Amino acid sequence: MSNSRDCNEGFDFGGWEFVDTIEGCHDIGNLADVFSRCIAAYGYSVSACGAFQSAGGNGDRFKFYFRNWPETWATLYTQRNFALDDFTISEARRKSGPYSWRTAMAGRQLSPKENVFWEAMGEFGWTDGLSIPIHGPGGQLAFVTMTGSSQLLTPVVRARLQFFALFAHARARALLQVVPERGPRDLLTPRELECLRKVGAGKSDRAIGEELGIARTTVKYHLEHARQKLGVRTRAQALAQLVLWGEE
């Protein structure tokens, strides 16, 4: 590898030199530029990296860490609120590995608004793309997408692009100092967590109270606070959070 870690230096788009260069990026703009030049070698012209973020009872939203988009597309994306209909990103929930957008389209029926989004991308000359979902603990989900024209990817090239995406995402999180989401063990008191686990075991509030030596109303109090802290509406949703985080 080169001794230089300056992002403006050339590097081998095919392997470990990419890692060295990415680690040398000291701001998100530099990182976005490096990643853009990297994927250009494989026929992709624009890219984005981000993650879904929990919005409590209002569902999830996603935040971009960086976007290598033409200004006209970025403006249109915001004005038309395409984030709600961007299946190239939302499809990541259904996938465990990289997927081309045309493959994703073949497995789903696009809604009218999703079709509008797809047609708008076509007007920019983008006829296909590749998305890489990045799954983490507690159902956390990040993504890297790259856009271009339709092309056939060999398994080697697909794996290489996934490799690039994973490192770019990790570096973006480090540069932006993204705080990891907190799970049930971080948010709940030991008693709240204990009561919720017993609900998961099928026990009633009364049975839990008798087992722990506390009043049924106290059990209900703990469970209500657990639900609120986890940002969910029902006990079932709270239990689902335990399962996602491996705390059941």
Side-chain angles (χ1 to χ4, degrees), residues 184-185 188-203 208 223 226 238-239 242 245-248:
R185 187 180 292 273
L188 307 183
T189 66
R191 184 64 93 185
E192 290 166 349
L193 191 56
E194 186 176 26
C195 288
L196 193 53
R197 284 171 174 160
K198 291 186 181 299
V199 169
K203 296 182 179 180
I208 295 172
L223 292 171
L239 288 172
L242 291 193
W245 284 89
E247 299 285 358
E248 71 278 19

Short mmCIF file of all heavy atoms in Angstrom, two decimals, residues 184-185 188-203 208 223 226 238-239 242 245-248:
data_model
loop_
_atom_site.label_atom_id
_atom_site.label_comp_id
_atom_site.label_asym_id
_atom_site.label_seq_id
_atom_site.Cartn_x
_atom_site.Cartn_y
_atom_site.Cartn_z
N PRO A 184 -33.09 -2.00 24.71
CA PRO A 184 -33.84 -2.14 25.96
C PRO A 184 -32.97 -2.18 27.21
O PRO A 184 -33.32 -1.59 28.23
CB PRO A 184 -34.60 -3.46 25.76
CG PRO A 184 -34.77 -3.57 24.30
CD PRO A 184 -33.50 -3.01 23.71
N ARG A 185 -31.84 -2.84 27.14
CA ARG A 185 -30.97 -2.94 28.32
C ARG A 185 -30.44 -1.56 28.73
O ARG A 185 -30.18 -1.31 29.91
CB ARG A 185 -29.81 -3.88 28.04
CG ARG A 185 -28.94 -4.17 29.26
CD ARG A 185 -27.80 -5.12 28.88
NE ARG A 185 -28.30 -6.44 28.57
CZ ARG A 185 -28.50 -7.39 29.48
NH1 ARG A 185 -28.26 -7.14 30.76
NH2 ARG A 185 -28.94 -8.57 29.13
N LEU A 188 -34.15 0.66 29.83
CA LEU A 188 -35.06 0.22 30.89
C LEU A 188 -34.32 -0.06 32.20
O LEU A 188 -33.14 -0.42 32.20
CB LEU A 188 -35.80 -1.05 30.45
CG LEU A 188 -36.54 -1.00 29.10
CD1 LEU A 188 -37.28 -2.30 28.87
CD2 LEU A 188 -37.48 0.19 29.04
N THR A 189 -35.05 0.10 33.28
CA THR A 189 -34.50 -0.29 34.58
C THR A 189 -34.52 -1.82 34.67
O THR A 189 -35.27 -2.48 33.92
CB THR A 189 -35.32 0.29 35.73
OG1 THR A 189 -36.63 -0.32 35.71
CG2 THR A 189 -35.47 1.79 35.60
N PRO A 190 -33.73 -2.41 35.55
CA PRO A 190 -33.74 -3.87 35.70
C PRO A 190 -35.14 -4.41 35.99
O PRO A 190 -35.52 -5.47 35.48
CB PRO A 190 -32.79 -4.11 36.87
CG PRO A 190 -31.82 -2.98 36.79
CD PRO A 190 -32.66 -1.79 36.37
N ARG A 191 -35.92 -3.69 36.79
CA ARG A 191 -37.27 -4.15 37.13
C ARG A 191 -38.19 -4.08 35.93
O ARG A 191 -39.02 -4.98 35.70
CB ARG A 191 -37.84 -3.31 38.28
CG ARG A 191 -39.20 -3.78 38.76
CD ARG A 191 -39.12 -5.18 39.36
NE ARG A 191 -38.92 -5.13 40.80
CZ ARG A 191 -38.73 -6.20 41.55
NH1 ARG A 191 -38.67 -7.41 41.00
NH2 ARG A 191 -38.55 -6.10 42.85
N GLU A 192 -38.10 -3.01 35.15
CA GLU A 192 -38.93 -2.89 33.94
C GLU A 192 -38.60 -4.01 32.97
O GLU A 192 -39.52 -4.61 32.37
CB GLU A 192 -38.70 -1.52 33.29
CG GLU A 192 -39.26 -0.36 34.10
CD GLU A 192 -38.74 0.99 33.64
OE1 GLU A 192 -37.79 1.03 32.83
OE2 GLU A 192 -39.28 2.02 34.11
N LEU A 193 -37.33 -4.28 32.81
CA LEU A 193 -36.91 -5.34 31.90
C LEU A 193 -37.38 -6.70 32.39
O LEU A 193 -37.85 -7.54 31.60
CB LEU A 193 -35.38 -5.32 31.78
CG LEU A 193 -34.73 -6.17 30.68
CD1 LEU A 193 -35.29 -5.79 29.30
CD2 LEU A 193 -33.22 -5.98 30.70
N GLU A 194 -37.33 -6.91 33.70
CA GLU A 194 -37.76 -8.16 34.29
C GLU A 194 -39.25 -8.38 34.09
O GLU A 194 -39.69 -9.47 33.70
CB GLU A 194 -37.42 -8.16 35.78
CG GLU A 194 -37.69 -9.48 36.50
CD GLU A 194 -37.25 -9.44 37.95
OE1 GLU A 194 -37.21 -8.34 38.53
OE2 GLU A 194 -36.95 -10.51 38.50
N CYS A 195 -40.04 -7.34 34.34
CA CYS A 195 -41.50 -7.45 34.16
C CYS A 195 -41.85 -7.74 32.70
O CYS A 195 -42.72 -8.56 32.41
CB CYS A 195 -42.18 -6.16 34.62
SG CYS A 195 -42.21 -5.92 36.41
N LEU A 196 -41.17 -7.07 31.79
CA LEU A 196 -41.46 -7.26 30.37
C LEU A 196 -41.10 -8.67 29.92
O LEU A 196 -41.83 -9.29 29.14
CB LEU A 196 -40.69 -6.22 29.55
CG LEU A 196 -41.09 -6.04 28.08
CD1 LEU A 196 -42.58 -5.78 27.96
CD2 LEU A 196 -40.30 -4.90 27.46
N ARG A 197 -40.02 -9.19 30.42
CA ARG A 197 -39.64 -10.56 30.07
C ARG A 197 -40.68 -11.56 30.56
O ARG A 197 -40.97 -12.55 29.89
CB ARG A 197 -38.27 -10.89 30.66
CG ARG A 197 -37.10 -10.28 29.90
CD ARG A 197 -35.80 -10.46 30.65
NE ARG A 197 -34.65 -10.02 29.88
CZ ARG A 197 -33.48 -9.72 30.40
NH1 ARG A 197 -33.31 -9.80 31.73
NH2 ARG A 197 -32.48 -9.33 29.64
N LYS A 198 -41.24 -11.31 31.72
CA LYS A 198 -42.24 -12.23 32.27
C LYS A 198 -43.54 -12.14 31.50
O LYS A 198 -44.25 -13.15 31.36
CB LYS A 198 -42.45 -11.94 33.76
CG LYS A 198 -41.22 -12.32 34.61
CD LYS A 198 -41.48 -12.16 36.09
CE LYS A 198 -40.23 -12.53 36.89
NZ LYS A 198 -39.80 -13.94 36.67
N VAL A 199 -43.84 -10.96 30.98
CA VAL A 199 -45.00 -10.85 30.08
C VAL A 199 -44.76 -11.71 28.85
O VAL A 199 -45.64 -12.41 28.37
CB VAL A 199 -45.24 -9.38 29.67
CG1 VAL A 199 -46.27 -9.30 28.54
CG2 VAL A 199 -45.72 -8.56 30.86
N GLY A 200 -43.53 -11.69 28.37
CA GLY A 200 -43.18 -12.51 27.22
C GLY A 200 -43.28 -14.00 27.49
O GLY A 200 -43.48 -14.80 26.58
N ALA A 201 -43.19 -14.35 28.77
CA ALA A 201 -43.32 -15.76 29.16
C ALA A 201 -44.79 -16.15 29.34
O ALA A 201 -45.07 -17.29 29.74
CB ALA A 201 -42.55 -16.01 30.45
N GLY A 202 -45.69 -15.20 29.09
CA GLY A 202 -47.12 -15.50 29.14
C GLY A 202 -47.77 -15.26 30.49
O GLY A 202 -48.90 -15.71 30.72
N LYS A 203 -47.10 -14.55 31.37
CA LYS A 203 -47.65 -14.34 32.71
C LYS A 203 -48.47 -13.06 32.79
O LYS A 203 -48.18 -12.08 32.11
CB LYS A 203 -46.51 -14.29 33.73
CG LYS A 203 -45.75 -15.61 33.82
CD LYS A 203 -44.65 -15.57 34.86
CE LYS A 203 -43.92 -16.92 34.94
NZ LYS A 203 -42.85 -16.93 35.94
N ILE A 208 -47.18 -11.91 37.81
CA ILE A 208 -45.85 -11.29 37.89
C ILE A 208 -45.67 -10.62 39.26
O ILE A 208 -44.62 -10.75 39.90
CB ILE A 208 -45.67 -10.25 36.76
CG1 ILE A 208 -45.68 -10.95 35.40
CG2 ILE A 208 -44.36 -9.48 36.95
CD1 ILE A 208 -45.70 -9.99 34.23
N LEU A 223 -44.50 -1.73 33.39
CA LEU A 223 -44.70 -2.08 31.98
C LEU A 223 -45.07 -0.87 31.14
O LEU A 223 -44.65 -0.75 29.99
CB LEU A 223 -45.78 -3.16 31.88
CG LEU A 223 -45.39 -4.54 32.44
CD1 LEU A 223 -46.59 -5.46 32.49
CD2 LEU A 223 -44.27 -5.15 31.59
N ALA A 226 -41.93 1.05 30.56
CA ALA A 226 -41.10 0.34 29.58
C ALA A 226 -41.59 0.62 28.17
O ALA A 226 -40.80 0.89 27.26
CB ALA A 226 -41.11 -1.16 29.87
N ALA A 238 -43.41 -3.80 22.43
CA ALA A 238 -42.28 -3.75 23.37
C ALA A 238 -41.56 -5.09 23.41
O ALA A 238 -40.33 -5.15 23.42
CB ALA A 238 -42.77 -3.36 24.76
N LEU A 239 -42.33 -6.17 23.41
CA LEU A 239 -41.74 -7.51 23.40
C LEU A 239 -40.96 -7.75 22.11
O LEU A 239 -39.92 -8.40 22.12
CB LEU A 239 -42.83 -8.57 23.56
CG LEU A 239 -43.45 -8.68 24.96
CD1 LEU A 239 -44.65 -9.61 24.93
CD2 LEU A 239 -42.42 -9.16 25.96
N LEU A 242 -37.57 -6.51 22.45
CA LEU A 242 -36.69 -7.40 23.20
C LEU A 242 -36.13 -8.49 22.29
O LEU A 242 -34.94 -8.83 22.37
CB LEU A 242 -37.46 -8.07 24.36
CG LEU A 242 -37.90 -7.20 25.54
CD1 LEU A 242 -38.34 -8.11 26.70
CD2 LEU A 242 -36.79 -6.28 26.00
N TRP A 245 -33.43 -7.19 19.90
CA TRP A 245 -32.17 -6.91 20.55
C TRP A 245 -31.59 -8.11 21.28
O TRP A 245 -30.56 -8.02 21.94
CB TRP A 245 -32.34 -5.75 21.54
CG TRP A 245 -32.44 -4.40 20.86
CD1 TRP A 245 -33.57 -3.80 20.41
CD2 TRP A 245 -31.35 -3.53 20.56
NE1 TRP A 245 -33.27 -2.60 19.83
CE2 TRP A 245 -31.91 -2.39 19.91
CE3 TRP A 245 -29.98 -3.57 20.76
CZ2 TRP A 245 -31.12 -1.35 19.47
CZ3 TRP A 245 -29.19 -2.50 20.32
CH2 TRP A 245 -29.77 -1.41 19.70
N GLY A 246 -32.27 -9.25 21.18
CA GLY A 246 -31.76 -10.45 21.83
C GLY A 246 -31.85 -10.40 23.35
O GLY A 246 -31.05 -11.01 24.04
N GLU A 247 -32.86 -9.69 23.86
CA GLU A 247 -33.00 -9.51 25.31
C GLU A 247 -34.18 -10.30 25.87
O GLU A 247 -34.54 -10.12 27.03
CB GLU A 247 -33.19 -8.02 25.64
CG GLU A 247 -32.03 -7.13 25.23
CD GLU A 247 -30.84 -7.27 26.15
OE1 GLU A 247 -30.93 -8.04 27.11
OE2 GLU A 247 -29.80 -6.63 25.88
N GLU A 248 -34.80 -11.13 25.04
CA GLU A 248 -35.98 -11.84 25.51
C GLU A 248 -35.63 -12.89 26.56
O GLU A 248 -34.51 -13.34 26.65
CB GLU A 248 -36.72 -12.50 24.34
CG GLU A 248 -36.02 -13.70 23.74
CD GLU A 248 -34.95 -13.35 22.72
OE1 GLU A 248 -34.48 -12.19 22.70
OE2 GLU A 248 -34.60 -14.24 21.93
#
